Amino acid sequence: MSTVNYDYIIVGAGLFGAVFARQMTDVGKRCLVIDRRSHIAGNIYSEEIEGIQVHIYGPHIFHTDNEEVWRYVQRFAKFNHFRYEPVANYKGELYNMPFNMNTFHQMWGINTPQQAETILEQQRKEITGEPKNLEEQAIKLIGRDVYEKLIKGYTQKQWGRSCDQLPSFIIRRLPVRLRYDNNYFNHPYQGIPIGGYTRMVEKMLAGIEVKQGVDYLANKAELDRLAEKVVYTGPIDAYFQYKYGPLEYRSLRFETEMLECDNYQGVAGMNFTDAETPYTRIVEHKWFEFGKGNVGKTVITREYSKEWKPGDEPYYPVNDEKNQCLYERYKAMAEKEPDVLFGGRLAEYKYYDMDKVIAAALTVSELENRSV
Ligand code: UDP
């Protein structure tokens, strides 16, 4: 006696789940999307406060070099021409990010790429051979001066580990440029969806059944019966009841304040790169939309990084060797799980950007289409 009502039950209404649900619905599959939270859009969820789109789970800037993904998102939102150009604040000294001629001018008082190259070459020599950790990678990339002022303290706060205990790939996300160019990302397409991320995901989920406030793992047996297949986008270790022990994540705490002023810091993101300031950055949300919002108001968020413990929201996977090995064990179990697809940042334990999540969901849905 089967009570199967859906082809897919999709656990998690974040980007992966929403894109997968959209794609499968469009080819005639019956999808049910459930989420533990009382809202859709996962961590890209945004909420309007005083006419300002507030990024509730931390700032998200959409950027991609993937034409297909860029075309895809245009179906659900128009994007503005925002460019992320954060400023680093080291004990009151301000530096442009990412590392570029402006930063080098501010750091060393030099003006030409040749002068910067000479200093960088000198400082990079400190590291011979393959960098073994983030500290060595950072010094090899950008020299000790920049490392000490703009990387060391920030990274230690963000990851709760010293830089010689962290994998080098994290820092390779940041560009180094011998040009005057403060654009944080190298990708050709960048912007913020006009009207907010939540509305974009709402459009992805248009016409699809969504149930909020439903805890999948607590009601697994009963929910599994509803569908042929499950798409799980939650933490992979939780799915397997932490059988091999918990994976480590970084969590975040946000302190959001509404202020009675038009302009608090004049930039969307300011990173506090010293070790003493307890927060990693302050985000002033209105600057993602060029100051749109009610007159005389602004909303800022101080972001504090902390170790994840049960009950906290997991944000960043800690992809060091120990955790990566543990993840591989869970992944091997996942591969044997019949009729369950694992996808997204938490289920794949991956430091995923939004465009990569969308690309992955498109690929998985195409594979599904071919197999049925
Ligand atoms: N980072 C840094 N100083 C900064 C900004 C970033 O040292 O002012 C390092 C830090 O280790 C961080 C990594 O670069 O974890 C990646 O930063 P990104 O801004 O890409 O992180 P996310 O956008 O995911 O918060």
Side-chain angles (χ1 to χ4, degrees), residues 166-224:
L166 285 164
S168 51
F169 80 89
I170 295 175
I171 203 69
R172 289 200 296 265
R173 287 167 62 86
L174 301 190
V176 176
R177 299 190 189 116
L178 291 174
R179 328 190 283 280
Y180 291 93
D181 178 355
N182 298 327
N183 185 352
Y184 204 60
F185 303 111
N186 278 328
H187 289 162
Y189 308 113
Q190 185 175 167
I192 304 286
I194 296 169
Y197 282 99
T198 305
R199 193 190 291 172
M200 178 179 91
V201 177
E202 241 165 48
K203 288 214 172 135
M204 287 176 172
L205 291 170
I208 299 170
E209 195 179 343
V210 180
K211 286 189 181 156
Q212 292 159 8
V214 178
D215 186 335
Y216 171 72
L217 293 177
N219 303 283
K220 188 173 181 305
E222 178 195 328
L223 289 165
D224 283 349

Side-chain angles (χ1 to χ4, degrees), residues 330-347:
Y330 283 120
K331 187 172 171 229
M333 283 183 84
E335 277 158 8
K336 289 194 205 110
E337 196 73 356
D339 304 324
V340 185
L341 300 168
F342 292 79
R345 178 177 53 98
L346 297 173

Side-chain angles (χ1 to χ4, degrees), residues 93-109:
E93 292 171 24
L94 299 187
Y95 295 93
N96 286 111
M97 294 287 290
F99 314 120
N100 76 90
M101 280 307 297
N102 288 308
T103 328
F104 306 140
H105 171 72
Q106 291 145 351
M107 184 74 59
W108 299 313

